[in-house]
Amino acid sequence: MPLGGAFRVLLLLLSGASAVALRRGLNVTCHNQQVTVSWERSERGASYRVHVAGSAGEQVDITTENQYDLTPFVWASEDRYLGFHYVTVTTLEGGNQSEPIDSETFTFNYLKTADQKCELDFPPVDLKESDSGATLSFQNPLFFYRELKKAARSASPTFRFTATSNGSDFMGSCDATEDVCRLALPPGSSSGDTCVSKLKGALVSENGVSWVLFREVGPVCAPDSTELDVLALSLMLLLFFVVTSVVTVLICRAKAWTMKGDPAKTPISLVLSPHEGDMRYVLVVNREDVSPVTVTENHICKNPSVGSEEDLQLGACHRSPCLRGGLLEDDSEDDDSEESASMDLAHYDRRQTLEVDMGDGDVATGYGNRDNDL
């Protein structure tokens, strides 16, 4: 190949390699157990090849974002989180790619050599004061961080910690069998409000060659007795309110259940139709069975169709017509005989009678008060 042709091929190769600009600013961030790597975004439409490598394996992935989560890779095993790692990112645009960029090395193992040492946060710490002293307690990090509990299967690490109070250091430890780590501080080891000025710790492997550091915390102080009293009172009031509400609801529901379907126990003022469905209050009226009722004067009236004895028993009319069987009888034909008959009877011998037409020719006779008029 002529020299000029070779030069042109080399120029094309160089131009193709430099067509994708190198991306700077590759950063690894450890935020507690979360580990991410980020970089500057390239031109729109570019993708990135992320290569994670180190002392405990490697992984390659493609992403279109300008950051990548390394947490699943780091906490996959005990060897991973106790080893060191670094990341290489390459920008891909079409058929071209940039030169790879390497990040700094990082690790969670304090005894490993790396550019960046990652640390974990302490679990929430509690300090309680008593007459015999103070007690420092917190949840075991092996149970607080599920990543640690999952990864630490092949060994029995121990969490060691040191509490500084009143210028003195007090050391404690807890193993994988303890849910809570505790440290008793003797009386007089704290001054003022009973505080621990600083607390630091590390998760140490069984052979002691690996240490995972935890960020120092402090000061940690015991709550004031007044605050405890207020908290206890608030809890008691809350409990009283909850119990009262529950009892009230249960009583209302019990009353509603016992009164359901029982109108006799329901207040009559709350029932729209209190006697609905009760046959004792049903009034059946048949108009065909109703007959007129006629009341006659309580005087004897002679009826031509009956004997004198019946006249005395059934009663009669005085100065008015008599009704018998619903028919009107005219007594105008024999007024003289009526007057003579009434004169023959003493006033106290008269029977006070009422005749009622019941219909269909039936007559009922009743008795009333004596008439004082002659």
Side-chain angles (χ1 to χ4, degrees), residues 74 81 84 107 118 135 137 142 148 183 207 209 253 274 309 327:
V74 172
Y81 78 80
F84 72 93
T107 182
C118 300
T135 301
S137 62
L142 289 173
L148 279 174
L183 177 63
N207 53 15
V209 297
R253 294 187 64 179
E309 186 66 25
L327 300 176

Side-chain angles (χ1 to χ4, degrees), residues 68-79:
Y68 188 79
D69 187 9
L70 302 173
T71 305
F73 175 83
V74 172
W75 296 100
S77 66
E78 188 178 41
D79 292 336

Side-chain angles (χ1 to χ4, degrees), residues 15 25-26 76 113 145 224 279 291 321 332-333 340 342 351 371:
S15 62
L26 191 61
T113 301
Y145 290 102
D224 186 67
M279 297 303 297
S291 59
S332 61
E333 297 177 355
S340 61
S342 61
R351 295 193 176 189
D371 190 359

Side-chain angles (χ1 to χ4, degrees), residues 256-276:
W257 181 79
T258 55
M259 295 172 65
K260 183 178 181 181
D262 192 355
K265 295 183 179 181
T266 304
I268 195 68
S269 61
L270 301 179
V271 181
L272 296 179
S273 300
H275 306 305
E276 183 178 358

Side-chain angles (χ1 to χ4, degrees), residues 163-191:
T164 302
S165 178
N166 197 24
S168 301
D169 292 338
F170 301 89
M171 301 181 63
S173 64
C174 54
D175 56 31
T177 62
E178 300 177 75
D179 295 340
V180 179
C181 301
R182 291 183 174 88
L183 177 63
L185 302 177
S189 60
S190 300
S191 60

Side-chain angles (χ1 to χ4, degrees), residues 43-59:
E43 299 296 332
R44 182 174 299 178
S47 58
Y48 309 95
R49 181 172 60 236
V50 181
H51 181 202
V52 186
S55 62
E58 60 181 358
Q59 173 180 298

Side-chain angles (χ1 to χ4, degrees), residues 90-239:
T90 304
T91 304
L92 306 176
E93 292 185 6
N96 302 323
Q97 66 180 27
S98 68
E99 292 183 1
I101 321 170
D102 295 333
S103 70
E104 295 181 344
T105 57
F106 64 94
T107 182
F108 279 90
N109 188 351
Y110 178 73
L111 301 181
K112 286 284 185 179
T113 301
D115 298 322
Q116 184 176 353
K117 303 291 181 68
C118 300
E119 298 178 351
L120 296 176
D121 291 337
F122 245 99
V125 182
D126 184 32
L127 182 62
K128 292 183 178 179
E129 186 180 11
S130 62
D131 296 337
S132 59
T135 301
L136 182 72
S137 62
F138 53 89
Q139 189 176 6
N140 192 328
L142 289 173
F143 295 92
F144 184 77
Y145 290 102
R146 59 184 182 87
E147 293 86 356
L148 279 174
K149 185 178 181 181
K150 178 181 177 181
R153 292 179 179 178
S154 60
S156 299
T158 302
F159 187 74
R160 301 177 185 177
F161 56 97
T162 302
T164 302
S165 178
N166 197 24
S168 301
D169 292 338
F170 301 89
M171 301 181 63
S173 64
C174 54
D175 56 31
T177 62
E178 300 177 75
D179 295 340
V180 179
C181 301
R182 291 183 174 88
L183 177 63
L185 302 177
S189 60
S190 300
S191 60
D193 296 333
T194 310
C195 296
V196 172
S197 58
K198 61 180 178 180
L199 178 65
K200 55 185 178 180
L203 185 66
V204 183
S205 62
E206 188 176 11
N207 53 15
V209 297
S210 302
W211 287 53
V212 177
L213 294 183
F214 282 70
R215 293 185 181 90
E216 183 180 298
V217 295
V220 179
C221 298
D224 186 67
S225 58
T226 305
E227 296 179 0
L228 291 177
D229 295 340
V230 173
L231 180 61
L233 180 61
S234 301
L235 291 178
M236 292 177 62
L237 291 176
L238 178 61
L239 181 62

Side-chain angles (χ1 to χ4, degrees), residues 293-296 317 321-329 355 357 363:
V293 176
T294 304
V295 179
T296 63
C317 301
C322 293
L323 295 179
R324 190 179 296 272
L327 300 176
L328 178 63
E329 296 183 357
E355 291 183 358
D357 182 6
V363 178

